[in-house]
Amino acid sequence: MDRKKMYLVILLICVSTIVSGCWDKVEIDERAFITAIGYDKYKGPTPEGAEDIEKETEEKPLNRYVRTSIYPNVSLIAEKGEGEPFFVYSTTSISWADGRAEVALRDNKNYYAYHLKAMIFSEEVAKDETLFREMFDTFQRSVFLNNKLHFFVTPGKAQDILMTDTGKNMDVGLYIEELMDKEVSPTRTAKSDLGSIVIDLNESNAALAPRILKSKDELKVSGSAVLKDNKFIGTLGELETRDALILKGEAQNVDYTIKVDGKFIVIGQTDLESKMKAYEDKDEKIRVRFAIKAEGDIIQHYFDTPNEPYDAKYIEAVNKKSSELISRDLRNLFKKVQKDFGADIFKVGEYLRKFEPDTWEKVKDEWEEIYPKIDVEVDFQMNIRRAGIQG
Amino acid sequence: MSNYEELFKPKEENQDKINLTKSLEENLKKVKRILKGSDDMVYREFNVGENQNLKFATAYAEGLADKVIVNEYVLKNLMVLARMTEPQVSNIREKVYELIKNGVLSVSDLKEVDDINVITDNILAGETVLLIDKWDKAIIISSKGWPMRGISEPQSDVVIRGPREGFTETLRVNTALIRRRIKDPKFKIKQMKIGSRSKTDVAVLFIDGLVNQDILKIVVDRLKSIEIDGILVSGYIEQLIEDNWRSPFPQIQSTERPEKVAANIYEGKIAIIIDNTPFALIAPTTFNSLLQASEDYNERFLMASAIRTLRYISMFISVLLPALYIAMLSYHPGMIPTELALYIAGNRDGVPFPAVIEAFIMEGSLELLREAGIRLPGPIGSTIGIVGGLVLGQAAVEAGIVSSLMVIVVAITAIATYSVPNYSFGSPFRLLRFAYMMGAAFLGLYGVVLVFLISLIHLTNLKSFGIPYLAPFVYNMSIKDLKDTFIRAPLHKMKRRPEYVAKNDKDRLSNHFNRDYLKKGEDSGGEK
């Protein structure tokens, strides 16, 4: 009896593994490692066929997106084959899942998105709150998407960006990833990934996302897109983005060109520490104060200026002047974001909620109105530590 | 107090005793009848005494007994020298045994027996028997001496720095090798015979007062319970007395190195040496001790610790690597860094087999190659190496049958497998590897973890002579006991014997010994 039972158990184990096993087994060379996906707004087949467009019904929405996905030619990466560096599949779709299903009909490889590196929305898609929210909901729900993937907004067509030939024999997704994640990462575009954007939108209803442009045959990340209320509301330029990152304490290696005594001096910042503090003053006005400490080198002065850069007093003057100028720029940037967009990208509200709960209780309901009116004070302290070897 | 003498008491012989009679002829006839058909026996009858009136006979097995001893120290003495000693005629009949034993035979080891069965047993073991007319006893003269292999370097247990001596096929030589390392009167070598026909000598070695009595009792009881016709190699004993015969893991360590045996005896363990086999068995054995090489204790502790850790890692590699390869490639490519994943995908492009089949082909052919290489004579062996290397490596990849990464995986696995110091401990890993690969093939990483759990459950259940196999990781675990596991602590820090075996005398190194003591007087040393 005992022995019989044992055989039965063994049989059950064998059967259950063999019957249920292998159900999601896909060989690695049969997968399409999607590296980038772009979404554009669908605008109908052709202008003249406009009347043929089906009417949107209760059951079935119309095609809304043009979905473009690319994956690299792996044979080329392993130096085994030849051909295009990447494959592009474009389709119209009504949702994320629909787009995936449409491409699956045409692609011989199995869709696999865990190595997805970049997600690009055209501004038109990003401006449409419904589409934006539908997509972000999918991103957040999926366990097969990496939170670290880069989310971009592009003023042009996402499709064009994805089909760019980088000239380096690699596909755009990998190119963008290397570009964004390199050691000396660019400071003139927003540093945020899908995960952090989702968190920012949840916490402060505003976020910065990097922008990507295509000029001629080149890709460029440039400035940032301001997201608020789950849609795209405006852009910040490259230097503005840099200033925003300085306020957030996220831009370490930045060069400033400062005019001191009629001379343009270039200061290279090597270290940065930013502390934000928000509080309610006696007049029940909310104030926010940024205390930023920076260290830097003089990397450009004027040739043959004896003694000046090595004089403690002179350095002190440069410190003072640069601190003043940079503080002013930063304050202006904050005011711009505050007044023009009303977007709380620096998470002042979140700070109040965490550290000044009493104040937050009072203001949280009218935060949208209060935020544009709060006072800002920026105290940027530059400390030049090195002045170079020889003047 | 120790009761080991009690343990080793032989069982009651149920063999019938055949008494010797007073007639030499009759006795000799009986012996000859028992050994009928054994043409390697040599019988010699001769007369001794001034008047040649004392009849003697010797019997021995040719090839087993040392002829020099028989000729020079037995026959010559009796036939020639005996005449020089003047016997007192009156009591010569009564005292003849005393006379011969004390006055004539210049051999150190003599025994007196009165049973013909004992006589034949001794003849077959290489002793010489001396029968005397008109006397109902016989003398057994120790004359074992057969051609044997000299002590040479062990083949399976090689070290760079360490003694070059290895065990031989002769029990006595082997016990001597260990005795030379333990000159303690409390070091006991207890012998017994196992095998109703082979009558193989088996010695149990331990230090009285140090050994764990419970374990000793288990070992001896199990040895005694063996009733078999013949013991040929140490594996017989090992498999007959081990705890779990189903387990792939060896629960008794076998080694060719005397110093390894001695070290284990010093830890309170028990060694079993079997005649005719150059491997000593050590019990109890733990998982950890099978990953210790005797060289670890000869190296400086930093190096030894690093190597120990490496060995543990390599153990995991040898079991898990092909399984992880399958699981990652077939189920979880998201776990591989993107660039590597893309490279692997491209590399495998055009390979006709799924990763599972690929891995089985390659691992299978590796095992084939190993098996083929082991028993081939030297010159042909190298051919197999070259052909196999080409087939496994270059040709298979160039033909596109397997991916080049798989070749790397197989190679690393093979290297890792053979870095386990004990050969018989490496085999279970080779076997388990295939179980892990099956798990990975069916269920991916989940399957690997399942098989890992199953093997862990098995290992925790496993015992070697009452000691948990995973000791010291599972048994009264304390940091102190980890000093000789993943790392090897400096010798002066290892003051105690392993907690899980030694019950009695736990201190190895005096507690007063510390490094400061060595430096005493150093300050004034230079000045004088």
Side-chain angles (χ1 to χ4, degrees):
Chain A
M1 186 57 209
D2 213 14
R3 188 161 281 253
K4 248 184 179 175
K5 263 186 190 165
M6 206 174 75
Y7 285 135
L8 201 68
V9 169
I10 292 174
L11 189 75
L12 276 177
I13 292 175
C14 289
V15 167
S16 59
T17 46
I18 291 167
V19 169
S20 71
C22 307
W23 61 275
D24 58 352
K25 177 173 153 290
V26 180
E27 288 302 319
I28 195 165
D29 46 320
E30 290 162 9
R31 293 193 196 263
F33 288 95
I34 311 281
T35 54
I37 297 182
Y39 280 96
D40 293 309
K41 208 163 184 178
Y42 180 67
K43 289 172 183 159
T46 45
E48 52 266 32
E51 293 128 40
D52 298 337
I53 300 177
E54 308 168 48
K55 290 278 176 290
E56 191 173 281
T57 61
E58 287 285 323
E59 290 80 29
K60 194 172 172 289
L62 276 176
N63 280 337
R64 299 142 100 190
Y65 308 102
V66 176
R67 175 192 193 271
T68 309
S69 61
I70 56 167
Y71 62 88
N73 181 352
V74 286
S75 303
L76 211 62
I77 291 175
E79 293 173 359
K80 270 181 86 174
E82 284 170 2
E84 291 295 310
F86 56 89
F87 306 109
V88 186
Y89 284 91
S90 239
T91 182
T92 57
S93 68
I94 51 177
S95 67
W96 169 272
D98 181 51
R100 198 174 64 188
E102 280 293 328
V103 173
L105 297 173
R106 294 194 263 141
D107 192 358
N108 63 336
K109 302 267 183 177
N110 298 285
Y111 162 89
Y112 189 72
Y114 200 82
H115 285 295
L116 188 60
K117 297 299 171 198
M119 174 78 66
I120 300 169
F121 277 17
S122 73
E123 270 178 18
E124 286 169 325
V125 175
K127 271 177 189 161
D128 187 327
E129 192 184 338
T130 327
L131 299 184
F132 187 94
R133 284 175 68 182
E134 276 177 18
M135 275 298 152
F136 263 69
D137 192 70
T138 316
F139 299 158
Q140 234 191 322
R141 271 172 214 288
S142 175
V143 289
F144 292 107
L145 283 185
N146 193 338
N147 259 354
K148 293 282 172 209
L149 71 87
H150 296 289
F151 174 82
F152 292 95
V153 174
T154 178
K157 275 173 78 180
Q159 196 176 19
D160 289 344
I161 304 259
L162 293 184
M163 289 173 73
T164 312
D165 179 6
T166 56
K168 292 194 175 168
N169 233 5
M170 64 197 297
D171 86 328
V172 173
L174 297 176
Y175 187 84
I176 290 174
E177 195 220 1
E178 283 188 11
L179 173 63
M180 293 298 283
D181 291 349
K182 58 187 175 188
E183 298 300 311
V184 187
S185 58
T187 53
R188 295 183 183 192
T189 188
K191 289 184 178 178
S192 45
D193 50 43
L194 192 68
S196 71
I197 290 174
V198 167
I199 291 171
D200 289 353
L201 284 176
N202 273 334
E203 284 182 354
S204 58
N205 196 23
L208 282 187
R211 278 171 91 236
I212 190 163
L213 323 167
K214 185 178 179 184
S215 55
K216 283 184 191 163
D217 273 340
E218 270 183 349
L219 288 181
K220 186 186 182 192
V221 287
S222 160
S224 51
V226 183
L227 306 174
K228 199 197 163 197
D229 291 335
N230 298 321
K231 62 175 188 281
F232 168 84
I233 54 165
T235 54
L236 289 180
E238 290 179 14
L239 290 177
E240 288 167 336
T241 305
R242 185 197 74 180
D243 290 348
L245 292 184
I246 293 170
L247 279 176
K248 285 178 159 197
E250 286 172 4
Q252 297 285 333
N253 300 306
V254 177
D255 302 332
Y256 305 100
T257 309
I258 310 282
K259 198 174 184 186
V260 187
D261 302 341
K263 292 176 189 147
F264 283 105
I265 298 173
V266 180
I267 299 172
Q269 174 184 290
T270 54
D271 200 17
L272 181 76
E273 192 193 326
S274 170
K275 273 185 187 155
M276 186 182 78
K277 196 173 184 310
Y279 57 96
E280 189 181 15
D281 67 5
K282 288 167 200 158
D283 313 327
E284 296 192 350
K285 197 163 166 52
I286 308 286
R287 287 174 170 279
V288 59
R289 184 171 191 281
F290 289 90
I292 306 169
K293 281 182 187 158
E295 280 183 14
D297 313 340
I298 293 180
I299 54 178
Q300 183 191 309
H301 197 262
Y302 282 82
F303 185 62
D304 210 14
T305 321
N307 300 328
E308 213 169 49
Y310 304 103
D311 182 19
K313 272 183 190 159
Y314 178 76
I315 294 284
E316 199 45 54
V318 174
N319 275 341
K320 210 177 158 204
K321 182 80 181 168
S322 57
S323 298
E324 253 173 47
L325 290 173
I326 296 168
S327 293
R328 196 192 64 204
D329 282 355
L330 295 180
R331 194 161 47 243
N332 289 343
L333 182 267
F334 186 92
K335 280 183 176 153
K336 176 179 176 180
V337 173
Q338 191 186 15
K339 300 270 164 17
D340 293 3
F341 303 123
D344 185 9
I345 57 171
F346 301 103
K347 295 195 185 180
V348 181
E350 185 64 13
Y351 179 91
L352 288 175
R353 190 180 73 79
K354 278 177 185 159
F355 302 104
E356 307 279 342
D358 299 339
T359 316
W360 179 242
E361 278 303 312
K362 281 192 272 178
V363 299
K364 69 175 179 185
D365 294 330
E366 297 101 46
W367 183 242
E368 285 293 315
E369 289 90 58
I370 294 174
Y371 175 68
K373 292 176 205 151
I374 63 175
D375 261 8
V376 64
E377 186 186 336
V378 178
D379 179 22
F380 184 94
Q381 290 293 336
M382 173 55 81
N383 183 14
I384 291 171
R385 301 281 293 246
R386 289 159 291 265
I389 303 169
Q390 238 177 352
Chain B
M1 209 26 234
S2 67
N3 53 349
Y4 70 91
E5 290 292 354
E6 196 86 342
L7 279 176
F8 286 96
K9 260 189 192 158
K11 279 188 288 187
E12 284 300 311
E13 290 284 332
N14 42 12
Q15 203 177 17
D16 293 332
K17 187 176 172 187
I18 307 173
N19 281 322
L20 282 165
T21 60
K22 293 225 171 192
S23 154
L24 173 70
E25 255 172 61
E26 208 174 307
N27 289 341
L28 200 58
K29 213 184 259 174
K30 280 181 186 166
V31 172
K32 279 182 177 171
R33 198 183 329 125
I34 294 175
L35 298 175
K36 198 178 159 191
S38 306
D39 291 346
D40 56 341
M41 295 304 152
V42 177
Y43 306 99
R44 172 82 159 89
E45 289 171 75
F46 56 96
N47 296 330
V48 174
E50 251 174 317
N51 309 321
Q52 303 282 305
N53 51 3
L54 283 169
K55 279 207 229 160
F56 281 66
T58 56
Y60 62 90
E62 199 171 9
L64 294 182
D66 189 350
K67 266 191 180 171
V68 177
I69 293 180
V70 180
N71 291 342
E72 289 288 320
Y73 304 104
V74 180
L75 292 181
K76 193 175 174 189
N77 283 8
L78 283 167
M79 294 161 96
V80 182
L81 298 174
R83 295 178 198 189
M84 295 174 192
T85 36
E86 193 70 30
Q88 290 167 298
V89 185
S90 60
N91 52 8
I92 186 159
R93 291 262 178 246
E94 292 78 29
K95 297 279 180 156
V96 69
Y97 169 71
E98 293 289 307
L99 190 69
I100 287 168
K101 187 180 161 193
N102 299 336
V104 180
L105 291 178
S106 53
V107 182
S108 60
D109 185 7
L110 293 179
K111 262 186 295 179
E112 192 183 316
V113 295
D114 59 352
D115 182 356
I116 292 204
N117 280 325
V118 178
I119 290 176
T120 51
D121 283 355
N122 274 297
I123 294 175
L124 292 172
E127 315 289 29
T128 304
V129 176
L130 181 65
L131 293 160
I132 303 163
D133 196 22
K134 309 264 181 343
W135 193 48
D136 56 359
K137 282 181 180 169
I139 298 173
I140 308 277
I141 299 157
S142 170
S143 63
K144 274 181 193 165
W146 49 80
M148 55 176 152
R149 192 166 65 92
I151 296 172
S152 58
E153 198 173 344
Q155 296 288 312
S156 69
D157 234 346
V158 186
V159 295
I160 292 171
R161 184 181 165 188
R164 301 269 185 258
E165 282 175 332
F167 288 130
T168 69
E169 281 77 4
T170 312
L171 177 109
R172 197 43 77 217
V173 175
N174 295 349
T175 54
L177 281 174
I178 298 168
R179 175 72 84 179
R180 266 172 44 204
R181 289 170 169 84
I182 310 176
K183 289 170 188 135
D184 181 354
K186 288 203 156 184
F187 171 52
K188 309 293 178 195
I189 300 177
K190 295 298 290 182
Q191 254 169 267
M192 56 175 84
K193 281 193 196 313
I194 299 180
S196 57
R197 290 184 195 282
S198 74
K199 299 198 172 68
T200 311
D201 285 314
V202 173
V204 178
L205 287 70
F206 58 93
I207 296 180
D208 187 29
L210 207 69
V211 72
N212 186 329
Q213 290 292 336
D214 304 333
I215 301 173
L216 184 65
K217 187 171 184 316
I218 300 175
V219 170
V220 176
D221 283 351
R222 286 187 189 171
L223 281 176
K224 273 180 169 177
S225 69
I226 299 175
E227 279 175 17
I228 192 174
D229 57 343
I231 297 285
L232 290 179
V233 286
S234 62
Y236 280 44
I237 299 271
E238 184 181 339
Q239 288 163 48
L240 288 171
I241 67 172
E242 70 190 352
D243 291 60
N244 185 347
W245 56 270
R246 289 184 185 88
S247 172
F249 293 96
Q251 295 134 57
I252 298 177
Q253 189 177 0
S254 63
T255 178
E256 276 189 90
R257 306 197 66 84
E259 93 273 12
K260 203 168 185 171
V261 174
N264 278 291
I265 290 174
Y266 277 128
E267 283 187 355
K269 292 180 185 172
I270 299 154
I272 303 168
I273 294 183
I274 298 123
D275 203 13
N276 299 325
T277 161
F279 284 91
L281 304 178
I282 299 165
T285 289
T286 60
F287 191 87
N288 181 44
S289 66
L290 287 165
L291 283 170
Q292 299 167 340
S294 70
E295 211 170 10
D296 292 352
Y297 303 92
N298 220 340
E299 286 276 353
R300 310 181 61 73
F301 91 95
L302 274 177
M303 199 56 211
S305 300
I307 291 173
R308 235 353 132 58
T309 316
L310 186 75
R311 232 177 258 147
Y312 268 89
I313 295 170
S314 76
M315 181 193 76
F316 281 107
I317 290 177
S318 76
V319 176
L320 290 175
L321 191 64
L324 289 181
Y325 175 84
I326 295 170
M328 296 253 190
L329 259 61
S330 300
Y331 290 91
H332 322 284
M335 292 179 72
I336 314 172
T338 307
E339 291 192 9
L340 184 61
L342 295 175
Y343 180 81
I344 295 172
N347 203 286
R348 277 187 54 78
D349 208 16
V351 173
F353 302 112
V356 187
I357 307 289
E358 193 190 14
F360 268 94
I361 291 175
M362 291 304 277
E363 291 293 341
S365 41
L366 174 75
E367 292 298 310
L368 267 181
L369 194 65
R370 187 196 61 85
E371 191 55 32
I374 274 185
R375 260 165 284 279
L376 273 183
I380 312 174
S382 59
T383 321
I384 280 287
I386 294 165
V387 172
L390 279 179
V391 170
L392 270 186
Q394 224 174 333
V397 174
E398 272 178 21
I401 305 287
V402 296
S403 68
S404 49
L405 198 79
M406 187 67 229
V407 176
I408 298 173
V409 167
V410 170
I412 293 177
T413 317
I415 296 167
T417 310
Y418 296 119
S419 69
V420 173
N422 191 304
Y423 180 78
S424 57
F425 193 47
S427 329
F429 294 129
R430 298 213 313 270
L431 195 66
L432 279 181
R433 184 191 304 154
F434 288 94
Y436 278 90
M437 279 158 64
M438 290 300 288
F442 282 119
L443 298 168
L445 215 52
Y446 176 61
V448 175
V449 173
L450 273 189
V451 182
F452 187 77
L453 276 181
I454 293 171
S455 20
L456 208 61
I457 290 170
H458 170 69
L459 279 172
T460 29
N461 269 329
L462 201 57
K463 281 187 173 181
S464 169
F465 299 91
I467 299 298
Y469 199 53
L470 285 187
F473 305 123
V474 294
Y475 182 74
N476 282 346
M477 185 166 150
S478 70
I479 297 292
K480 278 183 187 169
D481 267 352
L482 294 181
K483 280 179 184 173
D484 199 7
T485 54
F486 305 118
I487 55 151
R488 201 221 79 205
L491 281 181
H492 69 270
K493 299 274 184 200
M494 292 201 284
K495 292 196 175 176
R496 292 167 76 77
R497 295 174 212 290
E499 203 76 17
Y500 54 93
V501 241
K503 290 277 177 263
N504 311 320
D505 182 3
K506 291 183 179 172
D507 292 325
R508 290 197 83 143
L509 186 66
S510 157
N511 270 324
H512 306 298
F513 180 88
N514 60 42
R515 302 292 304 173
D516 300 337
Y517 181 79
L518 298 182
K519 291 184 180 165
K520 253 184 200 170
E522 233 172 51
D523 298 337
S524 56
E527 295 161 20
K528 280 199 176 177

